[in-house]
Amino acid sequence: MTPSPDKAGEVVLRLDGITKRFGNLVANDAISLDLHKGEIVALLGENGAGKTTLMNILFGHYMPDSGAITAFGSRLPAGNPRAALAAGIGMVHQHFALADQLSVAENVMLGTEPLFRLRQHRAQARSRIAGLAQGFGLSINPDARVADLSVGERQRVEILKALYRDVRILILDEPTAVLTPQESDALFATLRRATAQGLSVIFISHKLHEVMAIADRCVVLRHGRVAGMTATADTDRASLATLMVGAALPNASIAPGQGGPVRLRLTNVAAPGLRGLTLGLHGGTITGLAGVSGNGQAALADLIGGVTAPITGEIAVDGVPQVQWTPRQALAAGVGRIPEDRLRTGGIGDFNLAENAVLETYRTRFSRHGLMDWPAIRAHATEIIATCDVRCDGPGQSMRLLSGGNMQKLILGRVLGAAPRIIIASQPVRGLDVGAIAYVHAQLIAARDAGAAILLISEDLDEVQRLSDTIHVISAGRLSPGFARGSISQTDLGLWMAGQGFDHAA
Amino acid sequence: MRLEPVLHPGPMRRMVPPALALLATVLVAALLAALAGANPFAVLGQIIVGATGSRLAILETLNRATPLIFTGLAVAVAFRAKLWNIGAEAQLYAGAIVAVLLGTGALAAPLVLPVSALAAMLAGALFLLGPVMLKVRLGVDEVVTTLLLNFIMVLFVSYLLEGPLKDPGGMGWPKSPALLPEARLPRIVEGLRLHWGFVIALLAAFVIWVVQTRTTLGFEMRAVGANLRAARFAGMPVTATLLKTALISGGLAALAGWSEVAGLKGHLSSDLSPGFGYTGIIVAMLALLHPLAIVLTALFVAGVFVGSDAMSRAANVPTYIADMLLATALLTMVLAILLTRFRVVRD
């Protein structure tokens, strides 16, 4: 692909020296960036690199401390959310803002057209939407109710909303996080058509292979600064990753686990959101669970973690069927739980690190006669902080003040410190930077090698494929058969994720 | 405009807003006094003198603070676990009724005080247990149930005072017979109008503080209040914790009624509590639910009431100024505390 400045000369959006400080933290440090007509620029960076802050400044949610934004030659007033919209800039967020009970067409019109209009106008709007959908290859029925749509289709509605408002600059925030590989390909096709018609796109992502596939240019942010800016054609994944992290990534492949006996077995288990699952987790292995978000992953994590009990079917630990299945029972049976949401379920934001470190063990290990043994608790927390390298002021600091990575390290230390024989890790690296991701993965592999049976739930196929000895796909609460390491391609996993194959299996 | 959290508030940010809140409270009081046609400074002075200016005034303030410490603790214990007990008033009367039932002849001397205290706590505890069972089993909002039980209790008390518990020698007044001498809480120092209820209240504050900070139950109560979902996920006995919280909270509120009857009044009447149960909410909120701070805020609130009574007699300004003062203090303090943790940012 040719670098875009040759393709189209006109600069549609120019960020010039944008700087934003929060206290001592410089979130954006003199960031400058040009977007040309008809090009796709990928904005890359780890969490905390400043991508979100930059977009918030562009949309007027934050005032920059210095710097200017120019769209189509005229300067955008800072701190005015309407200015960006009026200038023809639109954004599709990770979390959609759609009215479930309305049709696609109504959602698209909402906020743009008056609510009460003559039938004729509605018909005109509807046909325009159908035309847009056709023109950009967004296959969607304008009369479908949004509640009945898949996540990928909802995203198309969001894109249609932007196109309907004649957006000329479209910003997509991690658009593929919720898509199957096939849906991602369809999205990319749409984006290519749209840019051919003059739309300019900023594509925020941290998935390098996608960036390589779709973007004309890449802008890499690190610690709030532009660490590099390059045409996609002149770079490769490894050098982009190096730019993001600031150092070369260790990319050693992971040795497979030594299979052991079945630690946890689910037999025909039904629970809210799960349909008749049978699954065995072997000691010394990592079982990966792939799937599009919201297909029963959370329900399965809750089930194994003891938060919900099976309605029918059986849970057996080391061959012993479990009669009562509660969080406490799961803990006693040796299940270590790394929950998806660190602040909502994993910890208590207003509690300090010491208190959070013993949430699961205060009764069994850190109290006597109903009295908390605070010196031992603080010592335990201090030990976790030291061994897991939790960056903090000490065990007395509130959990809320930690970064996501440090929260996860604390939770990991809490869970692994109890030497669990079964580990359920839900999205263990979501929102973490590369260094923290490497740490979490290394800890999981160490636990595996120590004999634990691990279930890794992730929406990142690369992560699942890299770590897992066996992969299952979950779709609409059903579980695919297990695929051994390396025995299934990403394309085939994508088909299972889209729900194909379940009817033949079973 | 919106709020941004301040991660490490400095001394200025910690001290200035509460000081301004206090100033605002004083200003509002002065304004109200001026509206009532009195000299604002004189009125404020009279409130302070009326609450603390003499031995009698101080004792009166301490007496008035006693039930407020109990109800403040009852509210704080429950609120800490996000159990919204608005029914301390009803639980208070439950304790008072038990004090009368057991204190008018049923029991002999060495037993009557401890037994009636424990029975009163049990009555208050059970009175809150119902609403909390409804909450944990059926999801019934405890704000509604505990609040409405207050009105039921007030009517029940007036039925008792007109009927079964009516003092035959009361010349028709709706009040209960007097407690036997051995059922009365003695005074701390003979001749001074201050009873042992005050000491028990201080003790209760200390015990609750120890429970909250040192025991597994306290840890569970705080965890359930701070993040129910995480507490449940961690395997904490959430339902049992809420029920135990209810028992403690109801028991504390009942002690307020018990100590008013056994320590101060010696009998039950329908005006036993001028809203101690509700004022306990103000006491607890001003103390940020801290059990030891509740002693201080209870003394402050009691002082405002006692001082305003005295001022009202002298300056002919209605005692409602006390309610206005406390309402202003509560609102401005809550706002001030918000501002110690967040800063306002203009968009």
Side-chain angles (χ1 to χ4, degrees):
Chain A
M1 211 175 282
T2 40
S4 54
D6 307 338
K7 195 165 100 183
E10 188 195 343
V11 174
V12 291
L13 179 69
R14 168 165 286 165
L15 306 180
D16 193 13
I18 301 288
T19 298
K20 175 71 182 173
R21 288 184 197 84
F22 296 104
N24 292 326
L25 177 81
V26 185
N28 283 171
D29 189 359
I31 292 181
S32 296
L33 165 67
D34 283 350
L35 179 67
H36 299 85
K37 188 174 177 189
E39 79 170 339
I40 300 179
V41 167
L43 191 58
L44 277 161
E46 296 188 289
N47 280 282
K51 295 172 296 188
T52 310
T53 304
L54 191 64
M55 290 305 115
N56 275 322
I57 289 172
L58 174 58
F59 280 93
H61 300 310
Y62 290 155
M63 291 279 282
D65 295 324
S66 64
I69 301 170
T70 317
F72 303 101
S74 58
R75 182 154 171 184
L76 284 187
N80 181 353
R82 287 192 191 159
L85 297 178
I89 307 175
M91 182 152 177
V92 175
H93 291 270
Q94 281 184 57
H95 302 285
F96 307 142
L98 297 173
D100 275 356
Q101 298 306 319
L102 298 184
S103 75
V104 170
E106 286 164 334
N107 264 287
V108 172
M109 285 185 275
L110 206 62
T112 312
E113 305 281 346
L115 273 178
F116 303 102
R117 277 203 122 182
L118 293 174
R119 200 170 282 271
Q120 194 191 357
H121 284 277
R122 279 192 175 243
Q124 273 174 11
R126 194 191 155 285
S127 71
R128 194 176 150 221
I129 290 165
L132 279 173
Q134 178 104 48
F136 289 99
L138 292 159
S139 68
I140 196 157
N141 172 11
D143 300 318
R145 212 165 55 117
V146 165
D148 303 331
L149 299 183
S150 73
V151 177
E153 289 170 317
R154 287 174 199 221
Q155 187 178 58
R156 283 174 224 154
V157 180
E158 283 282 6
I159 294 172
L160 263 181
K161 263 166 75 176
L163 295 174
Y164 188 81
R165 284 195 289 107
D166 290 325
V167 155
R168 287 180 289 166
I169 298 169
L170 182 62
I171 296 164
L172 299 164
D173 187 10
E174 306 222 357
T176 59
V178 292
L179 303 182
T180 65
Q182 284 81 359
E183 286 175 320
S184 298
D185 287 342
L187 170 69
F188 292 167
T190 299
L191 292 182
R192 289 202 188 92
R193 282 203 200 190
T195 49
Q197 296 179 33
L199 188 78
S200 309
V201 174
I202 294 180
F203 187 92
I204 301 174
S205 181
H206 58 243
K207 292 186 184 170
L208 295 174
H209 62 94
E210 289 176 4
V211 168
M212 293 301 295
I214 186 73
D216 301 308
R217 281 194 305 138
C218 303
V219 175
V220 182
L221 296 187
R222 187 171 78 237
H223 300 319
R225 291 185 195 178
V226 176
M229 200 181 288
T230 167
T232 314
D234 303 339
T235 187
D236 55 36
R237 283 167 71 165
S239 39
L240 283 179
T242 311
L243 276 177
M244 271 169 73
V245 190
L249 271 183
N251 203 15
S253 67
I254 290 161
Q258 304 296 316
V262 174
R263 290 276 183 217
L264 181 98
R265 183 177 292 288
L266 307 181
T267 313
N268 270 322
V269 169
L274 298 176
R275 297 197 262 164
L277 300 196
T278 296
L279 173 68
L281 299 181
H282 291 261
T285 62
I286 296 181
T287 304
L289 189 72
V292 176
S293 151
N295 271 276
Q297 290 97 325
L300 183 59
D302 280 351
L303 179 74
I304 296 178
V307 178
T308 51
I311 298 170
T312 60
E314 181 188 89
I315 295 184
V317 177
D318 291 328
V320 182
Q322 302 292 311
V323 184
Q324 265 216 324
W325 194 242
T326 63
R328 211 188 277 190
Q329 191 59 43
L331 284 166
V335 180
R337 295 105 30 92
I338 300 166
E340 182 176 346
D341 196 318
R342 295 180 273 269
L343 263 189
R344 285 185 66 205
T345 42
I348 298 178
D350 294 331
F351 274 24
N352 64 33
L353 303 188
E355 290 168 323
N356 273 293
V358 298
L359 279 182
E360 295 174 335
T361 45
Y362 68 98
R363 263 172 187 263
T364 48
R365 286 176 57 197
F366 295 100
S367 62
R368 261 192 297 174
H369 312 303
L371 291 178
M372 303 287 282
D373 186 353
W374 287 116
I377 291 169
R378 265 187 293 275
H380 178 63
T382 308
E383 195 188 315
I384 292 179
I385 290 167
T387 55
C388 298
D389 188 28
V390 181
R391 308 281 165 84
C392 62
D393 298 344
Q397 189 178 1
S398 296
M399 174 109 159
R400 194 181 297 292
L401 299 181
L402 293 190
S403 72
N406 285 313
M407 265 182 223
Q408 191 69 314
K409 285 178 183 175
L410 184 82
I411 291 173
L412 212 60
R414 176 177 90 196
V415 170
L416 298 180
R421 292 172 306 155
I422 300 155
I423 296 171
I424 162 97
S426 299
Q427 318 281 359
V429 300
R430 176 186 275 177
L432 303 192
D433 63 40
V434 173
I437 290 173
Y439 179 83
V440 171
H441 284 166
Q443 291 292 308
L444 287 178
I445 289 160
R448 176 198 74 180
D449 291 341
I454 300 178
L455 180 66
L456 170 69
I457 299 180
S458 174
E459 282 152 27
D460 183 344
L461 272 185
D462 292 336
E463 183 189 12
V464 170
Q465 288 189 304
R466 222 162 70 83
L467 267 73
S468 310
D469 299 299
T470 309
I471 299 177
H472 291 269
V473 177
I474 192 165
S475 172
R478 297 167 302 176
L479 206 59
S480 78
F483 306 105
R485 173 189 286 264
S487 72
I488 184 167
S489 68
Q490 232 175 45
T491 315
D492 288 340
L493 280 177
L495 292 175
W496 280 95
M497 285 161 70
Q500 295 180 31
F502 283 92
D503 304 326
H504 310 293
Chain B
M1 295 206 300
R2 64 174 191 280
L3 297 173
E4 271 184 9
V6 180
L7 296 187
H8 300 286
M12 283 292 279
R13 184 163 279 281
R14 280 168 202 261
M15 302 308 296
V16 171
L20 286 177
L22 208 60
L23 186 68
T25 307
V26 170
L27 283 178
V28 167
L31 186 74
L32 289 169
L35 278 175
N39 175 350
F41 296 103
V43 163
L44 287 172
Q46 278 160 348
I47 292 179
I48 294 169
V49 170
T52 62
S54 66
R55 202 166 68 175
L56 197 69
I58 292 173
L59 289 175
E60 186 57 29
T61 300
L62 295 183
N63 263 333
R64 190 73 73 95
T66 302
L68 290 177
I69 295 174
F70 283 124
T71 55
L73 288 172
V75 169
V77 163
F79 279 21
R80 181 60 81 196
K82 295 248 163 76
L83 188 68
W84 307 114
N85 175 17
I86 314 294
E89 188 79 2
Q91 294 137 29
L92 176 152
Y93 274 111
I97 292 169
V98 168
V100 171
L101 288 176
L102 295 184
T104 47
L107 286 166
L111 274 179
V112 59
L113 270 175
V115 167
S116 77
L118 288 176
M121 288 176 72
L122 190 66
L126 292 177
F127 213 79
L128 183 53
L129 199 59
V132 176
M133 294 283 270
L134 285 174
K135 173 194 171 75
V136 296
R137 293 268 171 252
L138 302 173
V140 179
D141 191 336
E142 77 277 19
V143 172
V144 176
T145 48
T146 55
L147 177 67
L148 292 183
L149 276 174
N150 288 341
F151 303 106
I152 294 174
M153 186 52 123
V154 164
L155 293 172
F156 181 63
V157 165
S158 61
Y159 153 75
L160 287 179
L161 294 180
E162 295 288 351
L165 281 188
K166 187 167 185 171
D167 181 6
M171 323 240 273
W173 287 100
K175 68 185 197 72
S176 77
L179 266 60
L180 299 174
E182 59 266 31
R184 296 288 307 268
L185 271 169
R187 293 184 170 175
I188 297 172
V189 178
E190 205 43 57
L192 291 185
R193 197 170 168 266
L194 181 67
H195 58 88
W196 278 95
F198 181 68
V199 175
I200 297 174
L202 295 183
L203 210 62
F206 181 74
V207 169
I208 293 302
W209 178 68
V210 170
V211 166
Q212 285 194 336
T213 56
R214 295 281 183 275
T215 68
T216 51
L217 175 61
F219 188 60
E220 287 158 354
M221 284 159 58
R222 290 189 293 124
V224 165
N227 187 341
L228 182 72
R229 205 173 130 136
R232 185 167 280 142
F233 181 80
M236 290 189 178
V238 169
T239 303
T241 302
L242 284 172
L243 294 179
K244 287 177 195 168
T245 306
L247 293 177
I248 296 175
S249 174
L252 284 165
L255 276 183
W258 173 82
S259 92
E260 284 296 280
V261 169
L264 196 67
K265 298 277 173 64
H267 61 83
L268 173 61
S269 58
S270 55
D271 61 353
L272 179 76
S273 161
F276 287 137
Y278 301 105
T279 312
I281 298 173
I282 299 180
V283 168
M285 298 291 279
L286 280 175
L288 301 182
L289 309 185
H290 192 294
L292 298 182
I294 280 173
V295 172
L296 298 179
T297 55
L299 286 170
F300 168 73
V301 170
V304 169
F305 276 125
V306 171
S308 299
D309 280 348
M311 175 278 300
S312 173
R313 288 191 291 272
N316 203 20
V317 173
T319 54
Y320 292 121
I321 198 170
D323 295 312
M324 298 290 293
L325 252 171
L326 289 177
T328 316
L330 181 65
L331 290 175
T332 53
M333 258 322 159
V334 168
L335 185 67
I337 283 151
L338 185 78
L339 288 178
T340 60
R341 296 187 194 161
F342 296 90
R343 71 166 62 90
V344 179
V345 182
R346 289 257 301 275
D347 273 337

